[in-house]
Amino acid sequence: MEEIADDYLNILGDLAASDRKPSKKSPLMASSVTSSWTSRSVLNTAEYWTTNMISPVLFSQALSLICSTVSGNKTKKIDGAHRRASTVTDFLEIGPHAALQGPVKDILAANQRSKSITYSSILIRKEAATDSAAQAAGRL
């Protein structure tokens, strides 16, 4: 992939960002590239997506970051960091099968969150999509 990284970067060029100004309430994404919270302004760069293509996937670290974000007594912080504190109660895999179920459950166990966070997959192999989707929605 590194062989084509420069071409990929040039092809992506300037990624069109929304005209809407990001606010302090704009959602953040736990990046599997940096294993840190990533803002929309970073996600709107060709450099981020080129790095995403050539870097190892830090799935475990990104998921652990999400697991470590727990609310309880939300003390307001001067920098507004308290706005990102939320309780994660469910993970929903959206894909052709529950491919990440094992790794997600292992990561949850390693973070002592197995009992407080549930995992569901929207589609499960050899099950009717309407059934598995309805079951996942019911668990949410």
Side-chain angles (χ1 to χ4, degrees):
M1 288 299 196
E2 289 191 28
E3 292 177 17
I4 64 167
D6 289 335
D7 292 335
Y8 185 65
L9 180 66
N10 292 328
I11 289 168
L12 288 177
D14 290 329
L15 299 177
S18 169
D19 291 338
R20 201 175 68 184
K21 282 186 167 183
S23 72
K24 289 183 179 180
K25 293 182 180 181
S26 292
L28 295 175
M29 180 183 87
S31 171
S32 62
V33 175
T34 63
S35 69
S36 63
W37 295 109
T38 305
S39 68
R40 183 171 55 185
S41 61
V42 171
L43 294 172
N44 286 337
T45 65
E47 290 80 9
Y48 177 84
W49 294 105
T50 303
T51 303
N52 181 58
M53 179 181 73
I54 63 173
S55 299
V57 176
L58 304 176
F59 180 75
S60 178
Q61 295 90 329
L63 194 56
S64 293
L65 175 67
I66 294 169
C67 289
S68 69
T69 306
V70 184
S71 73
N73 181 8
K74 283 191 190 178
T75 304
K76 292 189 177 184
K77 309 278 194 269
I78 292 173
D79 68 353
H82 63 280
R83 291 187 187 104
R84 288 192 294 273
S86 60
T87 301
V88 175
T89 57
D90 299 274
F91 283 118
L92 177 64
E93 182 173 353
I94 300 174
H97 179 63
L100 297 174
Q101 180 177 13
V104 167
K105 288 188 173 187
D106 290 346
I107 295 164
L108 292 176
N111 287 277
Q112 287 104 30
R113 298 297 303 275
S114 296
K115 293 180 180 163
S116 60
I117 299 176
T118 61
Y119 167 89
S120 299
S121 180
I122 201 81
L123 296 174
I124 298 173
R125 191 175 294 129
K126 297 182 183 176
E127 275 191 34
T130 52
D131 292 344
S132 62
Q135 289 172 6
R139 283 189 292 272
L140 294 175

